[in-house]
Amino acid sequence: MEEWKQGTYVMMLNDEDIHTVNERRLGEIIGKDTAGKLHTSRSRNEQVVCDMRIWLLDRIKKIASQLVAFRKVIVAGAGSEM
């Protein structure tokens, strides 16, 4: 998680999707056999959807805060034009 937050983790060309990326990296850290159990009784498609949803929720929060900041700039600019 910290590698993702810091932007230090690099996706590889052969990574098919976010699940493959996470499972491969976890395998590098704790071993492939243990990382292969990551699925926790979920299908690969369910895991990919879950990973994408988590990513999208984070992006939406960032975009929402940027929109609030943008709105403040517009309101401040409009106030100075009156």
Side-chain angles (χ1 to χ4, degrees), residues 15-58:
D15 290 333
E16 294 178 32
D17 51 40
I18 191 70
H19 175 69
T20 306
V21 172
N22 289 338
E23 187 174 340
R24 182 179 54 76
R25 181 60 182 135
L26 189 59
E28 292 169 1
I29 296 169
I30 66 171
K32 289 183 180 184
D33 291 338
T34 305
K37 297 176 184 177
L38 182 65
H39 57 79
T40 63
S41 300
R42 298 282 183 187
S43 74
R44 180 186 176 109
N45 288 342
E46 289 173 319
Q47 288 184 331
V48 170
V49 168
C50 182
D51 290 338
M52 290 301 297
R53 186 174 184 188
I54 291 169
W55 180 82
L56 283 171
L57 287 171
D58 182 58

Side-chain angles (χ1 to χ4, degrees), residues 52-68:
M52 290 301 297
R53 186 174 184 188
I54 291 169
W55 180 82
L56 283 171
L57 287 171
D58 182 58
R59 293 300 301 154
I60 288 168
K61 287 178 189 175
K62 289 177 183 175
I63 291 169
S65 71
Q66 291 171 338
L67 287 172
V68 168

